[in-house]
Every structure is written in C-alpha cells, then in structure tokens.
Amino acid sequence: MNIGRLAFRNIFRNKRRTAITFMSIVAASAAIIVFGGFIAFSFEGLRETTIRTQLGHLQIAKKGYFDQGAGLSESFLIADPARIERDIRQSPLVNTTTWRLTGSGLISSGETSLSARLVGIIPEREEDFTAFETIIAGTHLDQDTPEGCVIGTGLAKGLNATENTTLTILGTTLNGMINALDCNVVGIVRTASKDYDNVYVKVPLSLLQRLFDTTKVEKILVLANDTDQMPSIEKLAAQSIAGDPSLEYKSWLELAEFYRGVVNLYTSIFKLASIVLGIVIFLSIANTMSMSAFERFNEIGALRAIGQTRAGIIKMFVYEGTLIGLIGSSLGLSAGTLLAWGINLTGGITVPAPPGMSTGYTALIKLSPPAFLYSFFTALLASVLSSFYPAWLASRIDIIRALHHT
C-alpha cells in the first residue's frame, strides 16, 4: 500500500475543510513574510542612517578612546591621521575617509545659551556622511564657509536662530582655559534623532581645533562602498594599524548601541509573532485531522482488520499533516511574495515617527530570506506536530467497534 498516495488523496476528501485549513496556513505564512519584510526594511534604514550620519562603517582611534566615556583628553588624540589613513583611502573598497573632533560646550544667541554637542568635520569629505540629513534652511558646510556652522532644528528653535545668525560657541581648551569663537549659521538640518537635533552643532574641523587649542583629531571615520564589505574593511583596517600598537578600531555595529537595542527588541517581537501564528496553524490542522479521524472511523477499522499496523495508521496521518504543511506553506510563500509586491507597488506603509525620532517614514516590504525560512518552517513544523495526537487517537481505535460504527 502506498501510504503517501493514500495520504494525498485523503487530504482532499473534504475539499471545503481542506480549503479553510490551507487558508489559515497561507494567511499566517504571508503575515510572517510581510512582517519580517517590514522589520528587515526598517533595520536596513536605521543601519544606513546610523552609519552615514554619525559613525561611518569603521572608526580608528587611540587605544582606550572608545572606553573613556565623555570628555576630551589630549592623550587620546591622533597627531598624524593622514599617515594612518593613507593605505585605507587608496583601497577600492572604501568610498571615503574623514577625520572628526567632537566635544561639548555652550552655544549662545543673545541672552540665550544652550548645551551643544560640537562636531568638527572636513567639509569637502562630508558629502556621503550627510545623505540622511535633511536641510531645512540654508546649505551644508563647504570649503567657502571656514567659520560657518550647521545646527539641528531643535537647537535652532531654542536659540531662535535662522540662516545667517551669528552664534557664539563657548568651550574649554585641552589645557583647561575658557575659549570662545563666533560662527555663522549656514544651515539648519534635521537628522533621524530628535534628541540629537536638540544639541547638534557641526563646524569645520579647523574651527573646532582653534576652540580646543589643538591640531590633532579624535578619530578617523571610514565609509565603505557597501555595508556587506565590512569583513574586508575590518581586515584592511587591521593591516593599516598593525605597526602602531597605540591604535585600535571599532566597527559601526560595536558602537551602535541604540541600533543593537532596536534589533534585539524587534527580533524578539518577530519571533513571538511567529510562535503565535504557528499556534494558530497548529490548532487549525489539529482540528482538521481530528475531524478526519472521526469521519474515517470505519475506514481505519477496515485498514486495521486487513493487517495495517498502528504504526502504519500513525504514519498515514503524519504524512497527511506533512503534505498539508508543505502545500500550505508553499502557497503561503507565494501569497506573501505577492502581498509584499502589492504593498510596495501601492507606495508602501506610512509609519509615524517612532519615540525619539524626528520624522516618520514610508516603509516598503523587503523580501527577506530569514522571513521566508521562518514562514516555511513554522507552517511545516506546526502542521507535522499537530498531526501526531489525531494520529495516535486513530491508531488506538478498537477494530470491532470501528467496523460496526455508523
């Protein structure tokens, strides 16, 4: 007896009930794919925003710099960044490199003074680091604005500053002396983080060096052509600093605590949703298989009477559950793909600004291989597991009573 062929015929005996079961599997599988694709798209957007507005793909600094916490220390500054970045900058894997000097201070307009996070940059190297900054007024810094500054929207509101407003930056030099410089607002920008916009002040590196009375920089930022090239970029950085034990590097992922937290949270939610949908599939198929076992009371008795073993009955029901899972999950993958394409073609999903973020965004559904795997194996595993109990009940049917059952 071909158990596989018999199992295939059995699942289509009651076409209506089988169709309803398949619909539940397809709906759950498609939901996993779409939700997983939404999360994958959101992760990618947050990742690129984090890399291209703050961290770069990799940072090189003095050993111990990344552990020192807040504050600027002379011992953790790099005196000759051009020498260190020379080999990295020539690599075809690298888009650009730049230098940064950061610090804290006060920024004033008239009688209003607010705390500021000061970021010194090289304007001519910043084009690829400003891809996710939205200009609200004015322009980005360039070589023709040696005493210009770009500030965040929240800080601009707090200072009542507009384009061409002159602001005073007050800071402390590395020797502990108070120093002050004026800067002219050339642009007001909005980044992804609302809190960052409330303190963000970007100035030319030379201007910030004058404020802190130094010619050194804090770190070298490396921006790769593609984030997938990170293993090669890390290897390149390791080779570049191999001869200088005073240096170390960190990848963007090691530095992006907020990103890691978001990924851990949403990954847990996705796994929980997959489990819940798996339970829905489990209950749906268990109900179908139990009804099937009840309706086939006589048939099961006849099979047992002609020599079919209990193990054979269990195997037949498990085959049925497996076939239901395979067919349903395959249909679910197709339905999820079509649904994702449909959402993308209609413009995506409008997402309001999450807590702590300055703006919302339009999310598309990224067809993510992990989501497909979760969808397929969740449906298949739930289908197989749900068939064991009905199979066990069917195998325990008394042959004489089953043959007399009407």
Side-chain angles (χ1 to χ4, degrees):
M1 182 186 297
N2 191 325
I3 294 179
R5 182 180 298 177
L6 183 61
F8 183 81
R9 293 177 64 182
N10 284 337
I11 64 176
F12 290 104
R13 275 187 171 187
N14 191 320
K15 293 181 176 60
R16 180 181 298 175
R17 187 167 62 228
T18 300
I20 293 173
T21 302
F22 280 150
M23 287 174 61
S24 67
I25 297 174
V26 168
S29 299
I32 291 174
I33 288 172
V34 171
F35 185 42
F38 168 79
I39 290 176
F41 179 86
S42 300
F43 284 173
E44 185 177 279
L46 179 60
R47 179 191 72 193
E48 294 304 313
T49 300
T50 302
I51 289 170
R52 297 178 185 276
T53 57
Q54 300 180 42
L55 301 178
H57 283 103
L58 183 142
Q59 294 186 9
I60 299 173
K62 286 281 189 178
K63 188 164 290 186
Y65 166 79
F66 297 108
D67 300 323
Q68 72 164 333
L72 194 62
S73 172
E74 177 78 29
S75 61
F76 290 118
L77 296 185
I78 299 173
D80 189 10
R83 176 187 58 82
I84 298 167
E85 70 169 9
R86 188 177 299 115
D87 292 339
I88 298 175
R89 195 167 175 80
Q90 293 174 354
S91 171
L93 299 174
V94 174
N95 183 313
T96 188
T97 63
T98 190
W99 309 340
R100 288 282 169 86
L101 182 65
T102 62
S104 300
L106 293 176
I107 187 164
S108 304
S109 176
E111 297 181 356
T112 303
S113 295
L114 297 174
S115 297
R117 180 61 177 170
L118 308 172
V119 181
I121 63 154
I122 303 174
E124 57 270 26
R125 296 191 187 184
E126 283 293 310
E127 182 178 354
D128 293 300
F129 285 96
T130 57
F132 290 85
E133 288 182 358
T134 303
I135 286 285
I136 304 302
T139 63
H140 289 293
L141 292 171
D142 57 38
Q143 291 175 287
D144 298 326
T145 56
E147 295 188 352
C149 60
V150 170
I151 62 176
T153 52
L155 191 60
K157 289 179 181 178
L159 295 172
N160 196 26
T162 59
E163 186 182 359
N164 295 321
T165 299
T166 298
L167 304 175
T168 300
I169 302 174
L170 186 67
T172 305
T173 67
L174 296 179
N175 295 324
M177 303 294 292
I178 301 297
N179 196 10
L181 291 173
D182 289 336
C183 72
N184 187 53
V185 177
V186 299
I188 298 173
V189 299
R190 182 175 61 229
T191 67
S193 172
K194 195 172 184 180
D195 291 338
Y196 197 54
D197 288 345
N198 291 335
V199 296
Y200 183 42
V201 179
K202 184 164 62 176
V203 299
L205 177 62
S206 58
L207 186 66
L208 198 58
Q209 286 175 327
R210 283 166 49 198
L211 181 69
F212 293 142
D213 191 24
T214 183
T215 58
K216 301 178 181 180
V217 301
E218 266 186 300
K219 52 194 174 184
I220 301 169
L221 273 61
V222 180
L223 187 67
N225 292 318
D226 193 291
T227 304
D228 293 336
Q229 298 172 331
M230 274 304 300
S232 299
I233 294 297
E234 290 191 63
K235 184 177 180 181
L236 179 65
Q239 292 173 348
S240 298
I241 66 174
D244 191 341
S246 67
L247 297 173
E248 65 176 335
Y249 71 87
K250 294 279 188 182
S251 70
W252 71 272
L253 189 57
E254 294 176 277
L255 299 170
E257 293 184 11
F258 177 75
Y259 174 84
R260 295 199 305 272
V262 170
V263 168
N264 291 337
L265 173 63
Y266 277 86
T267 299
S268 299
I269 293 173
F270 175 70
K271 289 179 179 178
L272 177 61
S274 299
I275 292 171
V276 171
L277 292 171
I279 292 172
V280 171
I281 296 173
F282 178 91
L283 294 176
S284 175
I285 296 177
N287 177 66
T288 298
M289 300 291 285
S290 297
M291 291 296 294
S292 177
F294 179 78
E295 290 175 353
R296 291 153 55 189
F297 217 68
N298 286 14
E299 175 190 323
I300 294 168
L303 287 172
R304 293 280 289 116
I306 63 176
Q308 182 63 271
T309 64
R310 287 179 173 175
I313 297 296
I314 292 174
K315 185 184 293 186
M316 182 175 65
F317 273 83
V318 172
Y319 272 33
E320 290 178 26
T322 303
L323 285 171
I324 290 173
L326 286 171
I327 296 171
S329 57
S330 298
L331 292 173
L333 296 182
S334 300
T337 302
L338 291 174
L339 182 58
W341 283 347
I343 292 172
N344 292 343
L345 287 173
T346 55
I349 302 170
T350 301
V351 181
M357 306 297 280
S358 57
T359 58
Y361 62 98
T362 299
L364 300 178
I365 307 302
K366 182 180 179 182
L367 296 178
S368 167
F372 275 84
L373 291 174
Y374 261 102
S375 173
F376 182 82
F377 285 108
T378 297
L380 182 59
L381 185 62
S383 301
V384 173
L385 292 177
S386 65
S387 65
F388 277 101
Y389 182 66
W392 182 81
L393 289 178
S395 71
R396 309 304 296 178
I397 290 175
D398 181 80
I399 298 174
I400 303 300
R401 191 163 65 90
L403 290 174
H404 287 84
H405 180 77
T406 57

